[in-house]
């Protein structure tokens, strides 16, 4: 709610300082924003050392704040997430907000039956349009409100309902490799990614299927697969996604404006999702 205290953290990669400050300035118009001066640290492709990022994130999860918002994704959470103490966050839940590499943190949250927000991060909020900002605020402040994702493309017909989980495909694959991915039985699984060749998408999906992770899904929601250009074989990422996901024999809806595309509609992971997929189109109702 307006006036709530929120923490900004950088648990993954470094980022443009001006973009982060613009996002923080926008957040400060509505919330009391706290962050450490070390937020802007850089160490190669990381936002400072593992210890710096872990200490910052742990402090935010322990602090009296209503939300912990990532400055940016990138890479780095996999190096520290197994060292987080969730005691305070379980006793007094707060929103974890982000996407991309932050999927690793979302996966740890839903393992503990904590809801979290898959959505825009600080560095993009500073330049976001009014619609995106309003939707982000509405989802954060009124997460129990019913919402519908309409006009989705149906790849496989059917209906299903379950807890919404998922996020970045590469990060889900990494969580599975680390033995830390737990897909709830009957879940609706969201998938998105950026910059992956179609054969790599094939490999990750295949491993998640043969490892039994995606076999627990009651439905799949496909978001944006941005900049996933085909190689010389001209196989498209849509072809790979269709071929691999249709083998699951569950409803599949595509076209969700979620991920690294121009729009990144916020979604509450841990919320119940009702999927209705017709012959050509469908929708997801979040309740």
């Amino acid at each position: 709610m307006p006036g709530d205290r929120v923490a900004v953290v950088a648990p993954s990669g470094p980022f443009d300082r001006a973009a982060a400050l613009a996002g923080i300035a926008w957040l400060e118009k509505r919330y009391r924003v706290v962050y450490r001066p070390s937020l802007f640290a850089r160490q190669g492709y990381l936002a400072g050392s593992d210890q710096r990022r872990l200490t910052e994130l742990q402090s935010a999860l322990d602090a009296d704040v209503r939300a912990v918002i990532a400055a940016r994704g990138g890479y780095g959470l996999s190096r520290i997430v197994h060292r987080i103490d969730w005691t305070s966050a379980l006793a007094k839940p707060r929103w974890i907000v982000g996407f991309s590499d932050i999927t690793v943190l979302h996966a740890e949250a839903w393992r503990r039956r904590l809801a979290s927000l898959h959505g825009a991060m600080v560095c993009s909020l500073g330049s976001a349009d009014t619609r995106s900002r309003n939707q982000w605020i509405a989802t954060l402040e009124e997460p129990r409100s019913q919402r519908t994702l309409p006009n989705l493309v149906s790849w496989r017909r059917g209906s299903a309902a379950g807890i919404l989980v998922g996020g970045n495909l590469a990060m889900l694959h990494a969580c599975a490799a680390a033995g830390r991915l737990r897909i709830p039985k009957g879940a609706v699984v969201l998938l998105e990614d950026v910059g992956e060749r179609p054969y790599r998408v094939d490999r990750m999906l295949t491993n998640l299927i043969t490892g039994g992770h995606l076999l627990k899904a009651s439905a799949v929601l496909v978001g944006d697969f941005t900049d996933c250009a085909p190689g010389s074989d001209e196989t498209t990422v849509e072809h790979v996604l269709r071929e691999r996901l249709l083998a699951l024999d569950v409803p599949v809806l595509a076209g969700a404006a979620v991920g690294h595309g121009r729009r990144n509609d916020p979604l509450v992971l841990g919320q119940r999702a009702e999927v209705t997929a017709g012959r050509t189109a469908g929708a997801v109702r979040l309740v």
Side-chain angles (χ1 to χ4, degrees):
M1 294 296 137
D4 281 349
R5 197 164 177 258
V6 302
V8 174
V9 297
S12 301
F15 46 85
D16 180 76
R17 184 186 184 98
L21 290 174
I24 289 170
W26 176 75
L27 287 170
E28 288 177 331
K29 294 179 181 179
R30 191 173 185 88
Y31 308 110
R32 291 180 293 148
V33 182
V34 296
Y35 61 93
R36 293 185 170 209
S38 62
L39 180 78
F40 304 99
R42 288 174 175 264
Q43 185 172 301
Y45 45 75
L46 300 170
S49 68
D50 287 353
Q51 190 58 54
R52 188 215 74 78
R53 291 178 291 109
L54 176 62
T55 299
E56 177 186 71
L57 179 56
Q58 186 67 65
S59 295
L61 291 173
D62 292 342
D64 183 19
V65 297
R66 296 297 301 275
V68 177
I69 309 169
R72 179 183 175 262
Y75 168 74
L77 261 173
S78 299
R79 295 171 56 125
I80 62 173
V81 74
H82 58 288
R83 297 167 60 189
I84 293 172
D85 181 349
W86 289 85
T87 303
S88 295
L90 285 167
K92 189 176 181 180
R94 72 284 319 280
W95 288 108
I96 295 168
V97 185
F99 74 109
S100 195
D101 194 53
I102 312 304
T103 297
V104 177
L105 198 55
H106 290 312
E108 295 292 328
W110 80 60
R111 281 180 62 185
R112 294 164 173 83
R113 298 187 178 181
L114 292 173
S116 57
L117 183 62
H118 185 283
M121 295 176 280
V122 174
C123 283
S124 58
L125 286 171
S127 58
D129 59 32
T130 300
R131 177 195 174 280
S132 296
R133 286 174 169 178
N134 288 343
Q135 191 178 38
W136 189 91
I137 289 172
T139 307
L140 184 67
E141 296 184 7
E142 300 176 12
R144 296 183 184 275
S145 296
Q146 293 187 11
R147 294 176 54 214
T148 300
L149 305 181
N151 305 318
L152 300 175
V153 180
S154 178
W155 286 358
R156 182 182 288 281
R157 300 173 64 177
S159 60
I163 298 300
L164 180 66
V165 300
N168 182 262
L169 173 61
M171 293 299 99
L172 295 173
H173 187 254
C175 290
R180 303 189 71 86
L181 183 62
R182 302 289 186 274
I183 301 293
K185 186 176 181 180
V188 175
V189 180
L190 165 70
L191 298 173
E192 67 84 27
D193 218 321
V194 61
E196 297 287 358
R197 288 288 193 186
Y199 80 89
R200 289 174 58 86
V201 171
D202 185 324
R203 180 167 62 200
M204 290 185 285
L205 287 173
T206 298
N207 289 342
L208 290 176
I209 292 169
T210 58
H213 301 285
L214 290 182
L215 298 182
K216 298 178 181 179
S218 66
V220 178
L221 175 61
V222 180
D224 288 324
F225 276 73
T226 310
D227 298 330
C228 295
S232 58
D233 53 44
E234 299 184 353
T235 303
T236 66
V237 72
E238 180 175 331
H239 172 85
V240 169
L241 288 164
R242 283 177 176 267
E243 192 269 337
R244 292 282 73 200
L245 294 176
L246 295 185
L248 296 174
D249 198 26
V250 299
V252 180
L253 287 174
V258 178
H260 292 77
R262 293 183 63 184
R263 272 177 54 189
N264 184 18
D265 291 347
L267 297 174
V268 176
L269 300 179
Q271 189 171 21
R272 178 178 169 84
E274 298 177 348
V275 175
T276 304
R279 186 173 63 86
T280 60
V284 175
R285 184 167 171 256
L286 301 169
V287 297

